[in-house]
């Protein structure tokens, strides 16, 4: 959600459309990959007993108490809890995290975001106390620049959700009898503070605003931005309309409607899609890729929910139009892949972000159940592979961005699918989520976000949406109707899972229902029912409906085949050669150069020996060759990027396993280019001890203290390899170098690997890891408090001992300082070794037909060398599986190898046809029409 995309939510009914046809492309691929089961199992998941559901619900309550209680004890009135250091995150007092910090406004964010969660979880006494604290302590007039989007969905939505349930409790007569709309008055005050952001010619709001000074004033420090994301501008209508309906002040709903109207008018008319980023002054699309994930997601969600809450048919018409385009171009079941708005049959990227996990829940609200089940099952298979949903993952289900900030979108979709189907399978899915959170994310002071789902390392972060949404959806999943003190069906969920009453649709309706100025494209209304069906009729006489859809996808992650495989099969049948792949290309091969020319790709030799590739689609021999050229260019970009990253080592983990931590604290560590390789050998376990001298730059004076232990040494004054030799000579079994730069942290600084000293380092036999100051101080503080501290040095975190649970907390950090002289090799912080600064949409930069693109940085190579001589330099296959049918056909063209990535078990590998997962079998006529489109 901090990337401007909330989760989906809402009631378990919607405007029903006919069930979609089976996912033909997956079915076609299945014949090659042997993905599909030979027959559909007819045994339905066993029903979960009332006792087990109640037990799991109580477990969710305990987890919430652990998170909320630690926030109130260690962080309040700060905005968020830092669960590793057991303190509050205060804007300006911690190193900046960039846009993520725009959610923090010094207004006790987590408390406000959690208000209605307290009521849903039947904690009415705590809710009453929390409301009193908000009214007493929260100040909305702070001199701080905040995100309009985040402040709206989290704070304004939190205040309105709290008000909605406060008046409900007051009407029941037991709690909140003193309440007199105080939260609503705070919401109105905040609403007026956000209004200056809408002072643009388009009506789209500025992305940020100063709570005290507004926009453009010198002291405001904002108002110069020109761009905003579609979700940022299009996720306002529920909260602003509710504020207008509650207060009678129509200005809020008017401003939110104007922004939505403008976005609708600026949609790409031929595809009916919207881009990710738009200029707030001109209305020009800045980023022209389109999907249902980050940057766009909640725009679609709010169109449908605005119809549900406000009863305005125009919102449903718009949503239906967009949804038809999404299912036509973006949906490639079970995948949801971004496309170009002007060329919607051309994929914009080969990976998906985790925010799209809300979409199956929205499809339930829509009534389109089949694709919801398919996508949800695919996501669940990814979670079973990595324990959590990575921030981004590729179309062959590899990790692209390995962070996981405890996002709730998948839990949300799980809840709505269970509401729609009643299938106990989704209860088991929820149980898995609970187990993973407790096993991998729980720490003594709350729940910590995952820095890397592969290593299990933590980030000192617990976002407010974790309490606002995750526990709400998990509790509702296992709760029966009598477990909730009010009827949840009387409310709609906002994107932050705040509750707004449906009776607002008939209150203060001074806004015109129909937008007569908007132009709608012709759409066959016969595809859509205009009623909200009872979910019980979605699966008539077929209790196995959901399972029959899930079954073919149960192994899609473990045994996935690239979808370009269909094209290859056709090539073999016709006797034609398969298209040239980037990994096979040699700049000195005349045949390859001729193929490039046929694909419209020009090759330019630069003075420094590198080669520049430029593609002009219109110069290709045919539209099919143009397709191959586009694919070749993106493969080349990805190949070059992957080769650069493979020269670097992945991050390692330092796991504190002694009392009272027992493995619940995992620290991200940088590796060394020398010493024991933890990816190839068993982890090193031992107690830690500080070396003397602490810098480790001379013979140790306390060898008896470090003998048989893992030595702690400070960075600075000599080379890393010299430190390693000195502690090894003293008998240490490993070493941890702690940064001397006070306050440094892997949260804000890129990891690096410790280099040698230019000499032979084969004499260093012990493992060496590097910790930044913040992570290192956690170990140092643990030593001060507990004396004996045992750690595990490994390539990834190991499972904890479930019998050794405890609630002790680590002390807050104290940093060390000095200056460093070591040789450093840069290692990006982005996990999966993918550079975050690589353009998200390479085709936008490098493959537009009207603008020759220079990809020398992405795909530079010497003209005399082959870009890749083996599949070992590029990971392009699926997880834990091989495509057996294709193997037989391509035996002479490709060979399988073991993956060299130590962090993931990949199984055997082949050289598949992937990277671009567009359907290359689109009509030639349609592709030729795309070439004529505006770029």
């Amino acid at each position: 959600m901090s990337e401007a995309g909330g989760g989906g939510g809402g009631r378990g009914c919607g405007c029903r459309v006919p069930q979609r046809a089976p996912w033909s492309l997956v079915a076609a691929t299945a014949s090659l990959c042997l993905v599909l089961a030979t027959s559909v199992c007819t045994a339905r998941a066993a029903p979960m007993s009332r006792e087990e559901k109640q037990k799991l619900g109580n477990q969710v309550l305990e987890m919430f108490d652990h998170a909320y209680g630690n926030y109130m004890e260690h962080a309040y009135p700060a905005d968020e809890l830092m669960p590793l250091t057991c303190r509050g995150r205060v804007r300006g007092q911690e190193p900046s995290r960039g846009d993520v910090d725009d959610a923090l406004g010094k207004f006790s964010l987590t408390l406000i975001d959690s208000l209605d969660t307290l009521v849903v979880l039947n904690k009415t006494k705590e809710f009453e106390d929390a409301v009193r604290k908000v009214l007493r302590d929260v100040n909305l007039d702070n001199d701080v620049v905040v995100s309009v989007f985040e402040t709206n969905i989290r704070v304004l939505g939190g205040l309105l959700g709290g008000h909605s349930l406060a008046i409900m409790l007051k009407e029941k007569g037991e709690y909140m009898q003193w309440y007199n709309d105080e939260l609503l008055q705070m919401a109105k005050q905040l609403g007026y503070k956000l209004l200056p952001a809408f002072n643009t010619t388009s009506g789209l709001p500025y992305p940020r605003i100063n709570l005290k000074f507004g926009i453009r004033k010198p002291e405001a420090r904002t108002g110069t931005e020109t761009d905003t994301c579609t979700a940022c501008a299009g996720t306002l209508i529920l909260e602003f309309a509710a504020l207008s309906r509650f207060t009678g002040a129509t200005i809020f709903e008017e401003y939110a409607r104007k922004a939505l109207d403008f976005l609708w008018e600026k949609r790409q008319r031929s595809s009916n899609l919207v881009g990710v980023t738009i200029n707030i002054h001109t209305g020009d699309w800045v980023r022209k890729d389109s999907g249902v994930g980050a940057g766009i997601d909640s725009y679609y969600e709010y169109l449908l929910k605005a119809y549900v809450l406000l009863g305005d048919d125009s919102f449903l018409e718009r949503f239906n139009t967009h949804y038809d385009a999404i299912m036509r171009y973006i949906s490639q079941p079970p995948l949801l892949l971004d496309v170009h708005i002007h060329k919607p049959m051309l994929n914009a990227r080969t990976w998906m972000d985790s925010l799209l996990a809300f979409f199956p829940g929205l499809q339930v609200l829509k009534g389109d159940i089949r694709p919801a089940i398919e996508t949800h099952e695919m996501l669940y298979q990814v979670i079973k592979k990595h324990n959590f949903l990575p921030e981004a993952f590729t179309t062959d289900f590899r990790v692209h961005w390995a962070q996981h900030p405890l996002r709730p979108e998948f839990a949300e979709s799980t809840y709505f699918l269970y509401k729609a189907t009643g299938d106990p399978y989704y209860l088991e899915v929820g149980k898995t989520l609970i187990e993973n959170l407790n096993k991998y994310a729980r720490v003594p002071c709350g729940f910590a976000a995952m820095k890397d789902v592969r290593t299990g390392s933590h980030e000192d972060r617990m976002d407010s949406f974790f309490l606002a949404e995750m526990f709400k959806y998990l509790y509702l999943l296992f709760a029966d109707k009598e477990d909730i003190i009010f009827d949840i069906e009387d409310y709609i969920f906002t994107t932050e899972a705040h509750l707004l009453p449906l009776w607002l649709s008939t209150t203060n309706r001074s806004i015109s229902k129909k937008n007569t100025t908007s132009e709608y494209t012709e759409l066959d209304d016969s595809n859509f029912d205009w009623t909200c069906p009872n979910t019980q009729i979605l699966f008539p006489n077929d209790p196995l409906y959901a399972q029959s859809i899930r079954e073919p996808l149960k192994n899609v992650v473990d045994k996935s085949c690239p979808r370009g495989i269909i094209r290859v099969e056709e090539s073999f049948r016709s006797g034609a050669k398969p298209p040239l792949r980037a990994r096979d290309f040699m700049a000195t091969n005349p045949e390859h150069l001729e193929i490039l020319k046929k694909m419209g790709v020009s090759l330019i030799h630069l003075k420094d020996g590198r080669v520049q590739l430029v593609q002009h689609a219109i110069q290709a021999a045919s539209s099919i060759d143009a397709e191959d050229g586009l694919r070749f260019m993106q493969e080349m970009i990805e190949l070059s990027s992957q080769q650069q990253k493979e020269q670097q080592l992945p991050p390692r983990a330092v796991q504190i396993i002694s009392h009272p931590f027992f493995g619940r604290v995992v620290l991200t560590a940088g590796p060394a280019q020398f010493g024991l390789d933890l990816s190839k050998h068993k982890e090193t376990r031992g107690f830690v001890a500080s070396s003397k001298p602490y810098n480790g730059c001379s013979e140790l004076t306390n060898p008896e203290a470090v003998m048989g232990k893992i030595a702690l040494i400070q960075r600075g004054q000599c080379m890393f390899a010299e430190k390693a030799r000195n502690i090894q000579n003293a008998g240490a079994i490993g070493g941890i170098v702690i940064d001397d730069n006070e306050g440094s942290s892997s949260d804000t600084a890129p990891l690096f690997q410790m280099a040698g000293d230019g000499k032979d380092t084969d004499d260093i036999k012990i493992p060496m890891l590097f910790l930044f100051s913040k992570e290192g101080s956690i170990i140092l503080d643990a030593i001060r408090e507990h004396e004996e501290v045992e750690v595990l040095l490994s390539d990834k975190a190991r499972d904890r001992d479930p019998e050794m649970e405890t609630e002790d907390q680590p002390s807050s950090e104290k940093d060390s300082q000095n200056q460093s002289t070591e040789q450093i090799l840069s290692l990006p912080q982005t996990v999966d070794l993918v550079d975050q600064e690589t353009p998200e949409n390479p085709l936008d930069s490098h493959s537009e037909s009207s603008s020759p693109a220079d990809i020398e940085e992405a795909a530079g190579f010497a003209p005399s060398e082959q870009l890749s001589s083996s599949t070992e330099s590029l990971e392009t296959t699926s997880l834990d599986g091989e495509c057996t049918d294709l193997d037989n056909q391509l035996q002479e063209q490709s060979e399988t190898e073991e993956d060299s990535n130590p962090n993931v078990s990949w199984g055997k590998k082949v050289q598949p046809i992937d990277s671009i997962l567009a359907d290359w079998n689109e009509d030639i006529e349609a592709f030729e029409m795309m070439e004529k489109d505006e770029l």
Side-chain angles (χ1 to χ4, degrees):
M1 288 218 260
S2 44
E3 288 79 13
R11 305 177 69 207
C13 62
C15 298
R16 189 181 180 197
V17 298
Q19 299 293 348
R20 290 174 50 81
W23 27 285
S24 56
L25 190 52
V26 172
T29 309
S31 63
L32 293 174
C33 296
L34 300 180
V35 172
L36 290 177
T38 55
S39 63
V40 176
C41 177
T42 58
R44 191 180 185 186
M48 183 176 288
S49 67
R50 166 68 176 159
E51 291 73 20
E52 186 174 2
K53 287 177 62 179
Q54 195 168 39
K55 179 181 177 182
L56 289 168
N58 291 335
Q59 196 170 354
V60 173
L61 293 177
E62 186 278 330
M63 293 166 66
F64 174 82
D65 289 341
H66 180 64
Y68 181 76
N70 275 287
Y71 165 74
M72 295 305 296
E73 180 179 353
H74 297 289
Y76 182 79
D79 283 316
E80 290 179 344
L81 169 69
M82 300 172 67
L84 297 183
T85 51
C86 301
R87 57 195 175 94
R89 183 180 297 279
V90 180
R91 187 91 172 263
Q93 295 183 13
E94 301 294 333
S96 173
R97 301 176 298 169
D99 292 347
V100 177
D101 282 339
D102 287 343
L104 311 181
K106 299 182 179 179
F107 35 37
S108 301
L109 175 63
T110 298
L111 181 61
I112 293 178
D113 223 0
S114 304
L115 286 177
D116 51 7
T117 303
L118 290 166
V119 182
V120 172
L121 273 55
N122 296 337
K123 297 180 179 295
T124 48
K125 179 62 169 63
E126 291 88 342
F127 171 72
E128 191 158 2
D129 293 340
V131 172
R132 292 185 186 276
K133 284 185 172 66
V134 170
L135 300 180
R136 182 191 67 201
D137 300 337
V138 172
N139 177 23
L140 299 175
D141 197 39
N142 300 311
D143 181 12
V144 59
V145 176
V146 297
S147 162
V148 173
F149 167 80
E150 297 288 0
T151 304
N152 171 66
I153 66 170
R154 300 202 205 187
V155 185
L156 184 58
L159 292 172
L160 292 172
H163 170 70
S164 299
L165 298 188
I167 58 177
M168 179 274 298
L169 289 173
K170 184 176 182 180
E171 289 176 358
K172 286 181 175 290
E174 184 176 355
Y175 294 96
M176 304 299 294
Q177 296 305 299
W178 54 269
Y179 182 70
N180 193 29
D181 295 349
E182 288 87 351
L183 290 177
L184 180 59
Q185 296 309 312
M186 289 186 68
K188 187 175 181 180
Q189 177 192 359
L190 180 60
Y192 278 118
K193 285 184 172 295
L194 296 178
L195 284 184
F198 293 83
N199 188 21
T200 61
T201 55
S202 66
L204 299 179
Y206 283 95
R208 299 173 185 85
I209 195 169
N210 188 298
L211 289 176
K212 188 178 184 68
F213 298 108
I215 294 287
R216 289 188 175 177
K217 298 178 182 177
E219 57 268 37
R221 306 184 304 281
T222 189
T224 59
E225 302 94 339
T226 58
D227 306 334
T228 193
C229 71
T230 300
C232 298
T235 311
L236 300 161
I237 187 64
L238 292 188
E239 292 83 0
F240 272 51
L243 183 58
S244 288
R245 303 294 175 97
F246 272 129
T247 64
T250 61
I251 187 173
F252 303 109
E253 185 172 346
E254 291 170 355
Y255 275 51
R257 281 178 177 262
K258 183 179 179 182
L260 272 182
D261 290 346
F262 190 82
L263 289 173
W264 170 253
E265 293 296 332
K266 291 299 179 179
R267 74 193 185 284
Q268 211 288 325
R269 297 305 176 98
S270 63
S271 67
N272 283 319
L273 295 173
V274 293
V276 173
T277 309
I278 191 170
N279 186 297
I280 60 177
H281 303 297
T282 66
D284 295 331
W285 291 110
V286 179
R287 277 187 52 188
K288 300 176 182 179
D289 47 320
S290 183
V292 296
I296 302 179
D297 49 0
S298 48
Y299 161 69
Y300 294 134
E301 175 189 357
Y302 269 36
L303 284 178
L304 181 55
K305 291 184 177 180
Y307 164 69
V308 176
L309 181 64
L310 306 178
D312 188 335
D313 288 351
S314 67
F315 292 127
L316 181 60
E317 293 177 29
R318 297 180 191 184
F319 174 80
N320 282 341
T321 302
H322 284 313
Y323 188 78
D324 180 69
I326 291 170
M327 301 311 290
R328 185 187 305 272
Y329 303 119
I330 296 171
S331 176
Q332 301 177 35
L335 309 181
L336 292 164
L337 296 176
D338 287 15
V339 299
H340 296 276
I341 59 176
H342 296 95
K343 296 184 177 182
M345 285 180 284
L346 181 65
N347 287 130
R349 58 171 63 122
T350 59
W351 50 269
M352 295 166 280
D353 66 75
S354 62
L355 285 169
L356 62 76
F358 91 101
F359 198 67
L362 187 63
Q363 289 178 308
V364 171
L365 183 64
K366 166 72 178 172
D368 200 0
I369 304 297
R370 173 181 286 274
I373 294 172
E374 292 170 349
T375 298
H376 179 275
E377 182 62 19
M378 177 271 293
L379 294 171
Y380 184 44
Q381 297 300 324
V382 175
I383 289 175
K384 289 200 291 187
K385 173 65 65 176
H386 301 294
N387 300 318
F388 298 98
L389 198 60
E391 278 291 76
F393 54 94
T394 63
T395 49
D396 55 352
F397 310 111
R398 291 182 291 118
V399 172
H400 186 65
W401 296 336
Q403 303 94 327
H404 173 74
L406 307 182
R407 293 199 183 278
E409 285 77 16
F410 181 78
E412 170 191 359
S413 289
T414 302
Y415 165 64
F416 286 113
L417 273 169
Y418 177 66
K419 290 286 287 183
T421 67
D423 190 336
Y425 175 83
Y426 296 109
L427 297 177
E428 296 297 333
V429 173
K431 181 179 179 180
T432 300
L433 298 182
I434 291 174
E435 291 173 347
N436 288 350
L437 285 171
N438 278 319
K439 187 174 183 179
Y440 302 108
R442 186 165 183 148
V443 294
C445 281
F447 291 84
M450 308 305 296
K451 177 179 285 291
D452 191 323
V453 298
R454 298 164 304 177
T455 65
S457 58
H458 290 135
E459 190 174 354
D460 202 3
R461 169 183 181 184
M462 188 178 80
D463 290 84
S464 70
F465 55 70
F466 182 59
L467 284 84
E469 300 185 68
M470 181 68 81
F471 296 113
K472 193 176 293 175
Y473 288 124
L474 287 178
Y475 182 76
L476 290 171
L477 177 63
F478 297 104
D480 290 330
K481 191 170 184 179
E482 57 268 23
D483 296 329
I484 308 171
I485 61 175
F486 63 98
D487 190 352
I488 199 74
E489 301 295 334
D490 290 338
Y491 297 82
I492 190 169
F493 288 96
T494 69
T495 194
E496 190 80 0
H498 293 306
L499 295 168
L500 299 176
L502 292 175
W503 53 257
L504 288 175
S505 61
T506 59
T507 304
N508 293 322
R509 296 183 59 181
S510 57
I511 306 296
S512 173
K513 270 192 66 176
K514 188 78 172 180
N515 175 19
T516 57
T517 62
S518 294
E519 176 186 344
Y520 298 100
T521 57
E522 292 185 7
L523 188 67
D524 182 6
D525 278 351
S526 64
N527 291 328
F528 306 102
D529 288 336
W530 291 79
T531 58
C532 192
N534 188 311
T535 55
Q536 294 178 358
I537 69 171
L538 291 177
F539 309 96
N541 304 317
D542 189 4
L544 298 176
Y545 177 78
Q547 182 175 346
S548 69
I549 298 174
R550 286 194 308 268
E551 186 70 20
L553 292 164
K554 67 179 183 179
N555 296 319
V556 69
V557 171
D558 288 336
K559 296 181 179 180
S560 62
C561 244
R563 298 167 65 183
I565 215 169
I566 301 172
R567 173 80 178 274
V568 177
E569 183 185 37
E570 293 175 351
S571 296
F572 276 106
R573 289 174 179 171
S574 64
K577 292 183 178 180
L580 177 64
R581 308 310 307 278
R583 63 168 178 266
D584 302 324
F585 173 69
M586 293 185 65
T588 55
N589 187 321
E591 183 180 356
H592 289 182
L593 297 180
E594 185 64 29
I595 295 174
L596 287 189
K597 183 178 180 181
K598 188 178 180 182
M599 294 189 299
V601 178
S602 303
L603 186 145
I604 303 173
H605 293 273
L606 303 178
K607 293 181 179 179
D608 59 6
R610 289 180 297 164
V611 173
Q612 176 183 359
L613 297 175
V614 180
Q615 194 210 19
H616 301 270
I618 59 175
Q619 295 180 5
S622 68
S623 58
I624 296 295
D625 292 313
E627 294 177 28
D628 292 339
L630 291 170
R631 178 169 52 188
F632 177 85
M633 293 293 283
Q634 183 159 342
E635 284 182 355
M636 186 65 73
I637 294 167
E638 294 178 351
L639 176 61
S640 178
S641 175
Q642 182 69 26
Q643 287 179 320
Q644 294 172 18
K645 301 308 174 190
E646 285 181 347
Q647 303 304 315
Q648 301 164 337
L649 298 176
R652 304 293 188 230
V654 176
Q655 190 171 12
I656 307 178
I657 58 177
S658 56
H659 173 83
F661 305 98
F662 301 119
R664 290 178 298 183
V665 174
V666 183
L667 308 173
T668 300
Q673 290 185 327
F674 51 85
L676 183 71
D677 186 350
L678 292 171
S679 67
K680 299 178 180 178
H681 299 82
K682 187 177 180 180
E683 69 273 0
T684 298
R685 175 174 180 167
F687 290 92
V688 296
S690 297
S691 61
K692 293 182 180 179
Y694 189 31
N695 59 33
C697 290
S698 60
E699 183 179 350
L700 267 59
T701 60
N702 64 334
E704 70 287 345
V706 300
M707 174 74 70
K709 297 183 178 179
I710 297 173
L712 301 179
I713 44 184
Q714 188 181 48
R715 177 183 176 185
Q717 302 183 24
C718 65
M719 305 298 288
F720 288 120
E722 184 178 348
K723 298 176 188 288
R725 292 189 179 97
N726 287 330
I727 63 172
Q728 179 175 270
N729 292 337
I733 61 174
I736 299 176
V737 179
I738 299 177
D739 195 11
D740 61 341
N741 182 16
E742 183 176 1
S744 65
S745 168
S746 61
D747 292 341
T748 56
L751 283 173
F752 60 82
Q753 48 185 314
M754 297 182 288
D757 53 6
K759 305 174 184 178
D760 186 3
T761 56
D762 290 344
D763 59 313
I764 302 176
K765 306 298 184 182
I766 61 174
M768 296 290 293
L769 296 181
F770 176 87
L771 290 178
F772 281 107
S773 171
K774 178 180 175 181
E775 286 78 9
S777 66
I778 294 176
I779 294 182
L780 296 175
D781 288 343
I783 294 176
R784 296 187 188 101
E785 185 171 350
H786 304 288
E787 295 185 0
E788 294 291 323
V789 175
E790 189 177 14
V791 302
L792 191 71
L793 310 184
S794 61
D795 62 331
K796 62 185 296 185
R798 299 300 185 251
D799 289 348
R800 310 163 190 166
D801 185 349
E803 298 179 358
M804 305 178 71
E805 291 294 332
T806 184
E807 296 300 325
D808 292 283
Q809 303 162 352
S811 306
S812 59
E813 61 176 349
K814 295 178 182 178
D815 301 324
S816 54
Q817 52 184 332
N818 235 322
Q819 290 205 347
S820 63
T821 57
E822 294 94 335
Q823 178 183 356
I824 298 173
L825 294 183
S826 174
L827 177 66
Q829 181 181 1
T830 318
V831 283
D832 200 34
L833 303 183
V834 177
D835 193 343
Q836 283 183 329
E837 296 181 358
T838 300
E840 291 184 339
N841 186 357
L843 291 180
D844 279 348
S845 306
H846 305 302
S847 300
E848 297 288 4
S849 59
S850 65
S851 176
D854 183 357
I855 61 168
E856 58 187 72
E857 292 186 4
F861 51 89
S864 61
E865 65 182 15
Q866 183 176 357
L867 199 65
S868 173
S869 59
S870 75
T871 58
E872 191 172 65
S873 65
L874 178 62
E875 302 169 354
T876 55
T877 60
S878 58
L879 300 180
D880 291 349
E882 55 182 335
C883 304
T884 54
D885 285 2
L886 182 65
D887 255 353
N888 297 331
Q889 297 180 24
L890 294 181
Q891 190 170 5
E892 296 182 2
Q893 279 83 9
S894 63
E895 60 184 35
T896 59
E897 299 181 11
E898 292 295 323
D899 195 296
S900 60
N901 188 336
N903 282 328
V904 185
S905 176
W906 299 99
K908 293 185 177 181
K909 302 186 67 177
V910 297
Q911 294 186 0
I913 306 298
D914 59 358
S915 299
I916 293 285
L917 285 186
D919 184 356
W920 298 114
N921 294 314
E922 294 284 359
D923 294 336
I924 294 177
E925 179 181 353
F927 193 90
E928 290 173 343
M929 189 168 60
M930 286 194 298
E931 291 181 346
K932 300 176 183 179
D933 279 351
E934 168 190 1
L935 295 175

